[in-house]
Amino acid sequence: MKRFIVVIIEILICFLLQTTVFQWLALAHVTPNLLLILTVAVGLMRGRTEGLIVGFVCGLLIDFCYGDILGLYALIYMIIGYLNGYSHRIFVKDDLTIPIFLVGVSQFVYFFLFYIFEFLLKGKLNILFYLVSIGLPGIIYTVVVSIVLYKLLNIINTRLDRKEEEEV
């Protein structure tokens, strides 16, 4: 129950930071995707099921506030959370290489799926323009922010794991 409450608080804090504070810190009109970092971290640390659930909730929050099509972001985040859950078996708590790499790949997958649903299906075919102006800056900014945020999420997860082991 503690983990559930902590994850809900993490989702709300990341959502509020992403939609308020980081809007002021936008570089090249791009903000880091904190909810994606959280989805990747939960999928990596806790597995496919929890990654899928957290991805769904994060995506649904964005759908309710900003989405044109209800469920599009939820689907994208669910896919990302579930796929990152496969890396749970190779998860090493102190290594930052795998999480940072997965955040970069996940941000690219997010961009690509977003491009397909929002631009390609509307007849806007210039993917190189969108990749250079939106995709690459978003990937770089999200990866840089994920270094700090992932460490924080890892510390929280480790403490929750210790508390759960003490209770058993």
Side-chain angles (χ1 to χ4, degrees):
M1 187 64 176
K2 285 182 185 177
R3 183 172 298 278
F4 175 76
I5 293 170
V6 169
V7 170
I8 293 296
I9 292 170
E10 288 173 346
I11 291 170
L12 291 175
I13 289 173
C14 285
F15 177 73
L16 289 173
L17 286 174
Q18 181 175 328
T19 57
T20 56
V21 174
F22 279 97
Q23 295 296 324
W24 291 96
L25 301 173
L27 298 174
H29 303 291
V30 175
T31 59
N33 198 336
L34 301 180
L35 292 174
L36 182 101
I37 297 169
L38 177 65
T39 302
V40 170
V42 170
L44 181 60
M45 290 187 263
R46 303 297 299 166
R48 292 183 304 233
T49 304
E50 290 190 37
L52 180 119
I53 293 169
V54 169
F56 177 73
V57 173
C58 290
L60 214 52
L61 263 174
I62 294 175
D63 276 332
F64 286 146
C65 293
Y66 299 108
D68 295 333
I69 304 167
L70 187 63
L72 175 62
Y73 288 101
L75 175 67
I76 293 172
Y77 278 85
M78 277 176 36
I79 291 169
I80 289 171
Y82 186 77
L83 291 177
N84 280 290
Y86 278 105
S87 301
H88 175 65
R89 295 177 192 229
I90 60 171
F91 171 63
V92 179
K93 291 184 180 187
D94 298 328
D95 185 26
L96 280 177
T97 308
I98 295 171
I100 300 306
F101 175 75
L102 288 176
V103 166
V105 170
S106 297
Q107 181 66 23
F108 179 76
V109 169
Y110 170 82
F111 163 76
F112 188 70
L113 291 174
F114 184 78
Y115 168 77
I116 289 172
F117 290 119
E118 286 292 322
F119 296 116
L120 186 66
L121 293 178
K122 293 179 182 176
K124 299 177 181 176
L125 304 176
N126 194 355
I127 188 168
L128 290 178
F129 170 76
Y130 294 112
L131 181 64
V132 171
S133 63
I134 298 171
L136 291 178
I139 291 169
I140 293 168
Y141 200 7
T142 301
V143 165
V144 169
V145 170
S146 72
I147 295 169
V148 175
L149 184 59
Y150 180 79
K151 285 182 180 181
L152 179 65
L153 293 172
N154 194 11
I155 291 169
I156 293 169
N157 185 56
T158 304
R159 289 188 180 168
L160 285 173
D161 284 344
R162 269 194 246 136
K163 294 227 184 218
E164 287 176 356
E165 288 175 5
E166 290 173 3
E167 291 176 0
V168 173

